[in-house]
C-alpha cells in the first residue's frame, strides 16, 4: 500500500517497470497464465485431474497391477453409479447457488420417500409407467416445496429446515409400508430400465447404462439451459450473489429461491425412479442407507466448484467432478479388491474434497473471487 | 439488540455507573431464555402425558436408560454448541466416535487397559482429530461444513480400516461405570448423566462469564469485528473444534459402555445429526453468535424423551424421527417469531 506511486512524492523511486520481455519472461507469463487458469477455473483443474486419473489407471491396467482391465467398456459400465450422483449434485447446485446458506440435506430422504410412492403407483396400483414417473417427479417437487416454502417465505435457515425434513421424510418412508420394500412383478421387470444399451456404430459400439441416456443427460441439459439460457438462471445467480441487491433490482427473491428447492425436489423424485430400477425394488431406506445420498451429493457439488456462499457454480463442474470421483472409485475398486476398496474410496473422496476446498481458499486470497 | 452484549464496559462515557453490578448484569442476557422455558415446559408436558399413557414411564427402569442414552448426544452437543456459536459446524463427530470407539475397544480387548487409560486414550485421540478439523478450518480459512464433510470421510476410512472388516468382540466390562447397569449408578442416578451435567455446567459458566467465552459469541456475531477488537479469532475457532473432539472422545466411551460386548462398524452413525438437532432445538442460532449449553442439554433430553416415549407407547421406533423433525421446525419457528417481535418492538 505504501509503495503506491503518488505524484506528490517524487522522492520515492517508482517501482522498476518490466522492460520489453525477453524470451524467458514470455514463458514465465505463459506459466503464470496456465497456473492461474488451473487455480481459478475449477473446470480446467477437474479436466486435468480427470485425465491424470484415467492415464494412471490405464497405465496400471496395462502393467497388470489391477484385478481386471480398466478400459473404456469398464469405465462406461461404472457410469451407472454416476446417474444419481450427477442428478443430486445438480440439485445441490441449484440450492446452494440460491445463497443465504442454501443447502439441502433432505434430498436422500426425498429419494427414499418418493421411491415408496413410485413403488406403490407402479408396483401395486398398476399405473402406467409414464404416469408413475410423473407422480414421482410431482411428489418430489411437493417435498421440495415444503423446504422451499419454509426457507424462502418464512425465513428458516436452510441447514436446519432440511435437517428436520430429512428426519421427517425418512421416517415416513419407513413407516408408510411397515418397513417393507415393494418388489412386486412390475417393479422387478423395471430393472430393465437399468440395463446397458449399445451406443455408437457397428462393431465398436460401447455398452452404456440406459439411465445415463434417459435420466442423466436430459437432466444435465435442462439444468444447463435453465441456468444459462433463461432469465430464471440469471435471477438465481443474482439472488445467490447478493439477495438485497437482487430484491432492489426487482427480482422476486422469495419465489426464485423457493423454485430452486422445488426443482431440487423434482430431481430427487426422478432419482428415486432411477434407484428403484437399479435395485429392482422400492426400498424404504434407498436414499439414506449408509452415508446417505445427500452428503456425497453436496461433496460433489463443492468439488465441482459450487461456492457454498452462493451465486457461483456451473453444470459442467458438477458433471466433471462426478466423473472424476466415479472413475477414481472404479479404479480403486480394481486396485484394492474387497472391502478395503470401498473404504479407500472414502479416503479418496475426503482427500480430494479437502484439497479442492483448501485450493479454493488459496485462490480467493491470491486472485479474488473465482469462477 | 445485538449491540448491548458487545458494548465494552466504559464504552459509553455518558454513563459513569457502567461498572456497577447492576449495569454489568444488564450486559448479559437473562440466565434462562424464553426458548429454554418453553423446552422445560414441553419436556414436562411430555413426561406427564407419557406417565398417564404408560404408567411404567416414570419409574427408574425407564428413566435411567433415558438419561444414560441422552448423555453422549448431549456431551457432543455441548461442543457442537460452542462451534455453532462461533458460526461453524462439525459433521465429522460421528466418524470421530467411530475411530475413538474402535481404538478403545481394541485396546481393552488386546491389551486389557484399565478404565483411566481407556478414557484418556479416547479423549486424547478425539482431541487430536478435533485439532485436525480446527487447524484446517481456522488456518485454511475454508467453510467448516466443507472441511468436516471431508474429514468425516477420512476419519471414517481410518475407523473402518481399524475395524478390519469385522466386529470387535468380547469387550471387557471396564467401562461399566458409564453404562446402564447397577455399576453405572450412584443413588440411582447414572454416572454418565452426572458427568455430562458437570461438563455442561462448566461450559455454561465459561461461555457466559469468562472473556474467552464472550469472545466466541463475538466471533459468531461478526468475525471481522471480533478480530479488530483484539480477539484471536483463529486460535479460538481452532480450540472450539479441539474441545468438541475431546468431548466426542469421552462420548465414545459412553457409547461403548452402553452397548453390548460387541462393537460393530456402524457405531456412532447418525450422531452428528442428532447432536446438531439437540443444539438447534435448544435455541442456538445456526448463524452463530447466539445460544446456550443449557438449551442443548434440554434439547437432547427432549429428543431422547420422544425416542423412548415412542417405543414405550408401542409405536414404530422410526416414528420418533418424524417427531424430532417436527420439533426442530417448531423450535426454530418459535425462535424466528421471537426474533421478529424483538426487532419490531
Amino acid at each position: 500500500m505504501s509503495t503506491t506511486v503518488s505524484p506528490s512524492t517524487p522522492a520515492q523511486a517508482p517501482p522498476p517497470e518490466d522492460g520489453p520481455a525477453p524470451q524467458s519472461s514470455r514463458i514465465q507469463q505463459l506459466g503464470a497464465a496456465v497456473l492461474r487458469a488451473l487455480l481459478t477455473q475449477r473446470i480446467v483443474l477437474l479436466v486435468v485431474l480427470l485425465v491424470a486419473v484415467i492415464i494412471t489407471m490405464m497405465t496400471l491396467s496395462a502393467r497388470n497391477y489391477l484385478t481386471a482391465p480398466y478400459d473404456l467398456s469398464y469405465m462406461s459400465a461404472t457410469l451407472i453409479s454416476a446417474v444419481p450422483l450427477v442428478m443430486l449434485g445438480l440439485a445441490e447446485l441449484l440450492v446452494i447457488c440460491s445463497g443465504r446458506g442454501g443447502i439441502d440435506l433432505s434430498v436422500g430422504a426425498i429419494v427414499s420417500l418418493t421411491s415408496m410412492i413410485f413403488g406403490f403407483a407402479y408396483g401395486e396400483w398398476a399405473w402406467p409407467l409414464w404416469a408413475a414417473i410423473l407422480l414421482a417427479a410431482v411428489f418430489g417437487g411437493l417435498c421440495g416445496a415444503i423446504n422451499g416454502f419454509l426457507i424462502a417465505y418464512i425465513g428458516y435457515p436452510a441447514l436446519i429446515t432440511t435437517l428436520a425434513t430429512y428426519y421427517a421424510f425418512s421416517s415416513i418412508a419407513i413407516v408408510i409400508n411397515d418397513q417393507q420394500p415393494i418388489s412386486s412383478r412390475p417393479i422387478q421387470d423395471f430393472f430393465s430400465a437399468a440395463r446397458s444399451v449399445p451406443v455408437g456404430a457397428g462393431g465398436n459400439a460401447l455398452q452404456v447404462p440406459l439411465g445415463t441416456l434417459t435420466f442423466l443427460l436430459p437432466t444435465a441439459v435442462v439444468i444447463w439451459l435453465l441456468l444459462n439460457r433463461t432469465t430464471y438462471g440469471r435471477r438465481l445467480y443474482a439472488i445467490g450473489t447478493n439477495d438485497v441487491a437482487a430484491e432492489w433490482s426487482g427480482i422476486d427473491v422469495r419465489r426464485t429461491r423457493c423454485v430452486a428447492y422445488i426443482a431440487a425436489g423434482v430431481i430427487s423424485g426422478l432419482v428415486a425412479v432411477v434407484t428403484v430400477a437399479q435395485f429392482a425394488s422400492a426400498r424404504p431406506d434407498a436414499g439414506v442407507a449408509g452415508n446417505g445420498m445427500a452428503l456425497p451429493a453436496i461433496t460433489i457439488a463443492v468439488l465441482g466448484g459450487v461456492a457454498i456462499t452462493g451465486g457461483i457454480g456451473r453444470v459442467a463442474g458438477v458433471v466433471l467432478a462426478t466423473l472424476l470421483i466415479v472413475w477414481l472409485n472404479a479404479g480403486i475398486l480394481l486396485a484394492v479388491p474387497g472391502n478395503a476398496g470401498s473404504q479407500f474410496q472414502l479416503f479418496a473422496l475426503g482427500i480430494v474434497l479437502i484439497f479442492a476446498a483448501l485450493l479454493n481458499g488459496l485462490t480467493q486470497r491470491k486472485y479474488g473471487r473465482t469462477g | 439488540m445485538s449491540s448491548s452484549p458487545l458494548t465494552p464496559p466504559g464504552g459509553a462515557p455518558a454513563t459513569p455507573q457502567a461498572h456497577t453490578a447492576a449495569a454489568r448484569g444488564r450486559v448479559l442476557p437473562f440466565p434462562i431464555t424464553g426458548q429454554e422455558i418453553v423446552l422445560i415446559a414441553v419436556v414436562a408436558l411430555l413426561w406427564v402425558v407419557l406417565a398417564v399413557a404408560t404408567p411404567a414411564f416414570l419409574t427408574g427402569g425407564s428413566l435411567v436408560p433415558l438419561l444414560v442414552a441422552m448423555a453422549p448426544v448431549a456431551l457432543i452437543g455441548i461442543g457442537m454448541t460452542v462451534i455453532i456459536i462461533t458460526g461453524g459446524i462439525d459433521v465429522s463427530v460421528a466418524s470421530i466416535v467411530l475411530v475413538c470407539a474402535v481404538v478403545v475397544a481394541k485396546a481393552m480387548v488386546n491389551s486389557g487397559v484399565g478404565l483411566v487409560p481407556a478414557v484418556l486414550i479416547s479423549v486424547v485421540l478425539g482431541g487430536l482429530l478435533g485439532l485436525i478439523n480446527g487447524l484446517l478450518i481456522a488456518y485454511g480459512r475454508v467453510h467448516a461444513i466443507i472441511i468436516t464433510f471431508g474429514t468425516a470421510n477420512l476419519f471414517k476410512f481410518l475407523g473402518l480400516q481399524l475395524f478390519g472388516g469385522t466386529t470387535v468382540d468380547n469387550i471387557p466390562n471396564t467401562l461399566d461405570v458409564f453404562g446402564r447397569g447397577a455399576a453405572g449408578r450412584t443413588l440411582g442416578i447414572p454416572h454418565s448423566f452426572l458427568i455430562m451435567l458437570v461438563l455442561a455446567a462448566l461450559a455454561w459458566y465459561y461461555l457466559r462469564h469468562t472473556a474467552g467465552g464472550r469472545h466466541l459469541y463475538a466471533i459468531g456475531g461478526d468475525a471481522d469485528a471480533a478480530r479488530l477488537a483484539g480477539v484471536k479469532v483463529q486460535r479460538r475457532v481452532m480450540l472450539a473444534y479441539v474441545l468438541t473432539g475431546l468431548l466426542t472422545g469421552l462420548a465414545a466411551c459412553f457409547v461403548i459402555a452402553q452397548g453390548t460386548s460387541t462393537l460393530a462398524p456402524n457405531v456412532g452413525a447418525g450422531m452428528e445429526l442428532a447432536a446438531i438437532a439437540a443444539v438447534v432445538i435448544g435455541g442456538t442460532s445456526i448463524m452463530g453468535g447466539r445460544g446456550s449449553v443449557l438449551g442443548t442439554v434440554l434439547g437432547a433430553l427432549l429428543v431422547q424423551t420422544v425416542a423412548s416415549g415412542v417405543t414405550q407407547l408401542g409405536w414404530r421406533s422410526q416414528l420418533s424421527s418424524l417427531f424430532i423433525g417436527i420439533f426442530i421446525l417448531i423450535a426454530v419457528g418459535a425462535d424466528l417469531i421471537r426474533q421478529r417481535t424483538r426487532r419490531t418492538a
Side-chain angles (χ1 to χ4, degrees):
Chain A
M1 320 285 157
S2 58
T3 57
T4 318
V5 184
S6 79
S8 60
T9 55
Q12 208 168 19
E17 284 286 323
D18 277 325
Q23 198 62 32
S24 67
S25 117
R26 179 92 40 92
I27 293 171
Q28 267 174 8
Q29 276 175 7
L30 187 69
V34 169
L35 182 70
R36 189 190 169 102
L38 261 184
L39 289 179
T40 57
Q41 301 292 318
R42 177 52 60 91
I43 294 187
V44 177
L45 178 71
L46 285 171
V47 168
V48 171
L49 285 178
L50 191 57
V51 170
V53 164
I54 293 173
I55 290 179
T56 312
M57 289 301 168
M58 292 222 161
T59 316
L60 288 178
S61 175
R63 300 192 177 173
N64 285 325
Y65 283 120
L66 304 181
T67 50
Y70 188 91
D71 51 15
L72 276 181
S73 72
Y74 178 68
M75 282 166 67
S76 92
T78 55
L79 280 181
I80 188 83
S81 55
V83 179
L85 265 184
V86 169
M87 292 174 72
L88 292 179
L90 291 174
E92 296 292 347
L93 165 70
L94 294 175
V95 165
I96 297 176
C97 248
S98 77
R100 273 260 316 268
I103 200 162
D104 195 340
L105 296 176
S106 70
V107 285
I110 297 180
V111 170
S112 296
L113 184 52
T114 313
S115 293
M116 296 310 287
I117 300 293
F118 177 78
F120 280 127
Y122 187 58
E124 310 232 317
W125 310 331
W127 284 27
L129 182 59
W130 65 268
I133 293 179
L134 190 66
L135 176 73
V138 169
F139 186 83
L142 274 180
C143 295
I146 296 177
N147 286 333
F149 176 73
L150 289 171
I151 294 164
Y153 285 96
I154 316 248
Y156 274 68
L159 188 75
I160 305 302
T161 313
T162 54
L163 175 66
T165 50
Y166 160 85
Y167 275 123
F169 294 152
S170 52
S171 163
I172 298 172
I174 288 180
V175 173
I176 196 168
N177 197 32
D178 238 13
Q179 251 174 317
Q180 296 305 310
I182 302 174
S183 36
S184 58
R185 193 74 228 168
I187 295 279
Q188 287 178 24
D189 292 342
F190 189 49
F191 184 61
S192 63
R195 73 177 183 276
S196 289
V197 290
V199 170
N204 53 3
L206 210 53
Q207 293 286 322
V208 173
L210 185 58
T212 46
L213 303 178
T214 50
F215 283 94
L216 191 157
L217 272 182
T219 313
V221 169
V222 166
I223 300 292
W224 186 85
L225 287 175
L226 185 71
L227 285 179
N228 297 295
R229 290 288 179 272
T230 65
T231 41
Y232 176 78
R234 294 293 101 192
R235 288 194 191 124
L236 187 69
Y237 283 118
I239 67 166
T241 312
N242 185 339
D243 61 352
V244 177
E247 178 97 57
W248 281 91
S249 65
I251 295 174
D252 190 341
V253 172
R254 296 173 165 193
R255 201 176 66 191
T256 310
R257 186 166 284 145
C258 184
V259 168
Y261 285 89
I262 295 176
V266 171
I267 297 176
S268 310
L270 294 176
V271 171
V273 177
V274 175
T275 26
V276 169
Q278 269 178 31
F279 294 138
S281 146
R283 289 180 9 190
D285 63 347
V288 294
N291 257 357
M293 283 182 171
L295 302 195
I298 296 168
T299 310
I300 288 289
V302 169
L303 187 60
V306 181
I308 203 85
T309 44
I312 301 174
R314 292 168 67 179
V315 172
V318 173
V319 174
L320 285 172
T322 313
L323 291 181
L324 175 67
I325 290 300
V326 166
W327 282 337
L328 179 62
N329 279 349
I332 289 175
L333 271 190
L334 294 187
V336 188
N339 223 341
S342 60
Q343 292 170 11
F344 271 98
Q345 292 179 346
L346 290 175
F347 179 75
L349 185 63
I351 287 287
V352 173
L353 178 64
I354 292 177
F355 167 73
L358 287 177
L359 202 63
N360 255 11
L362 187 84
T363 46
Q364 269 185 17
R365 262 167 279 156
K366 193 163 172 172
Y367 300 107
R369 277 197 123 185
T370 58
Chain B
M1 132 214 139
S2 63
S3 68
S4 64
L6 289 178
T7 305
T15 55
Q17 75 274 28
H19 284 292
T20 63
R24 245 185 286 133
R26 193 165 43 82
V27 167
L28 285 173
F30 196 66
I32 292 189
T33 63
Q35 182 93 7
E36 285 150 14
I37 294 171
V38 172
L39 271 180
I40 293 173
V42 170
V43 171
L45 183 71
L46 277 181
W47 281 31
V48 169
V49 168
L50 285 172
V52 171
T54 57
F57 179 75
L58 280 183
T59 58
S62 152
L63 280 186
V64 166
L66 192 159
L67 295 183
V68 172
M70 75 164 276
V73 172
L75 207 53
I76 298 174
I78 294 171
M80 192 70 82
T81 311
V82 175
I83 287 179
I84 292 182
I85 283 175
T86 67
I89 198 159
D90 187 346
V91 292
S92 72
V93 286
S95 304
I96 297 182
V97 169
L98 175 74
V99 175
C100 291
V102 66
V103 168
V104 170
K106 289 230 162 180
M108 290 193 302
V109 170
N110 296 339
S111 327
V113 296
L115 171 66
V116 175
V119 173
L120 269 183
I121 290 172
S122 188
V123 170
V124 169
L125 185 60
L128 278 177
L129 297 180
L131 181 67
I132 296 177
N133 279 334
L135 283 174
L136 286 171
I137 291 163
Y139 294 99
R141 291 193 240 170
V142 182
H143 196 280
I145 196 165
I146 300 175
I147 286 293
T148 50
F149 270 139
T151 52
N153 282 319
L154 293 186
F155 298 162
K156 191 166 185 190
F157 161 75
L158 189 63
L160 292 178
Q161 282 284 303
L162 291 169
F163 261 107
T166 63
T167 54
V168 182
D169 299 320
N170 303 321
I171 299 172
N173 53 4
T174 323
L175 292 174
D176 263 7
V177 278
F178 303 134
R180 58 180 89 233
R185 270 175 275 167
T186 306
L187 300 176
I189 306 173
H191 294 146
S192 49
F193 180 71
L194 280 177
I195 293 170
M196 185 278 294
L197 273 192
V198 170
L199 289 172
L202 286 177
W204 183 82
Y205 181 84
Y206 175 75
L207 281 175
R208 207 178 138 75
H209 292 289
T210 67
R214 302 316 295 176
H215 285 172
L216 292 168
Y217 284 95
I219 293 169
D222 186 334
D224 282 331
R227 186 175 51 78
L228 292 174
V231 176
K232 292 196 167 60
V233 174
Q234 292 179 317
R235 200 167 69 187
R236 291 261 166 236
V237 167
M238 190 191 75
L239 287 177
Y241 290 89
V242 175
L243 173 76
T244 302
L246 296 171
L247 290 170
T248 307
L250 183 58
C253 292
F254 290 6
V255 169
I256 296 177
Q258 289 174 22
T260 57
S261 65
T262 299
L263 195 68
N266 67 353
V267 60
M271 280 188 94
E272 76 278 40
L273 295 184
I276 295 171
V279 173
V280 169
I281 291 178
T284 298
S285 163
I286 200 79
M287 307 308 206
R290 205 159 44 80
S292 87
V293 168
L294 177 61
T296 300
V297 173
L298 288 170
L301 186 61
L302 177 62
V303 168
Q304 200 54 50
T305 302
V306 170
S308 92
V310 164
T311 347
Q312 297 224 346
L313 289 173
W315 297 347
R316 283 208 164 279
S317 61
Q318 288 88 357
L319 261 183
S320 65
S321 316
L322 178 59
F323 291 114
I324 291 169
I326 293 172
F327 271 117
I328 294 175
L329 289 182
I330 294 175
V332 178
D335 197 46
L336 280 178
I337 291 171
R338 240 179 296 114
Q339 255 176 290
R340 233 161 254 176
T341 51
R342 223 182 300 154
R343 207 174 298 150
T344 51

